[in-house]
Amino acid sequence: MFTRLAAGLVAGASLSTLAVAAEAGTSRPVRWETGGAVWTTKSKAFKTFFKNGDITDRALQSGIGGSGWTADEIREGMTKTYDVDLIGVSRFLYSKDGEKFLKEQTTSYFPYWMKTKTSVVALRSAIIADSIDGKLSSEGIMANLPVDFALADNGKSDGSQNVCKSGLNGAQATSLLSWYVFLPACIQANQILPAAPAPRAAAPVRGLW
């Protein structure tokens, strides 16, 4: 039986695969690679932005400017929480469709050091880790990334992300921060929830005699 304990063990196995420390979370969730340049936005800058809207990092400012959304919209979208079921999320992410989904979602955004070899495991680990309390957000997924991630726009990939929202155009349909905004809702919509137990048949009514 797939229990919550099993789901927790699955998440733990994913993290141990990457040999991360007990405290999850990288301090460099985004390394922006453009050509030969690499600009790093540390988790501290994101936390400040999420908390009070202040933008203290030049690369983050550029990322917001190229997202197709305003800073307030990105902040609101990335801090919004969604109700999820840990088992349902785990079932989806470990399914055949989930594996395909994770590969599509890490086309240009993947671990900085081990590149695409660990992209599926790393993103899945972050999503599951943030789902343990039944809540999921972009902010939480980013905070639980087990390794440094980079957005590559340097020939290896084109820097575009598969945003989980139809009807978008331009930067809103391809930018990293727009991708982050819609990722939790996409996970919520695709989680495979446990089937509801079948109703018990009513016992026959006995007569008084």
Side-chain angles (χ1 to χ4, degrees), residues 61-159:
Q61 177 72 69
S62 178
I64 293 172
S67 70
W69 303 96
T70 67
D72 287 342
E73 288 171 332
I74 290 294
R75 183 185 176 211
E76 180 181 356
M78 291 189 68
T79 55
K80 181 178 179 179
T81 60
Y82 295 80
D83 293 328
V84 294
D85 181 88
L86 175 61
I87 299 175
V89 169
S90 299
R91 281 179 169 173
F92 168 60
L93 295 180
Y94 276 93
S95 70
K96 185 176 181 180
D97 287 340
E99 289 271 349
K100 180 181 178 181
F101 169 81
L102 290 168
K103 288 180 181 178
E104 292 175 345
Q105 300 307 306
T106 51
T107 302
S108 294
Y109 184 58
F110 41 69
Y112 183 71
W113 296 109
M114 299 186 73
K115 310 303 178 186
T116 57
K117 292 182 179 179
T118 57
S119 60
V120 167
V121 176
L123 181 57
R124 180 168 55 203
S125 296
I127 295 171
I128 290 177
D130 191 44
S131 300
I132 291 176
D133 62 354
K135 301 290 184 180
L136 187 66
S137 69
S138 303
E139 178 183 13
I141 293 172
M142 177 179 283
N144 280 286
L145 290 175
V147 293
D148 295 358
F149 264 61
L151 179 72
D153 181 10
N154 55 9
K156 292 178 294 185
S157 55
D158 61 7

Side-chain angles (χ1 to χ4, degrees), residues 25-43:
T26 175
S27 63
R28 297 178 177 85
V30 184
R31 292 192 175 202
W32 315 81
E33 294 186 36
T34 302
V38 178
W39 299 87
T40 300
T41 301
K42 296 185 177 180
S43 57

Side-chain angles (χ1 to χ4, degrees), residues 15 20 137:
L15 292 172
V20 297
S137 69

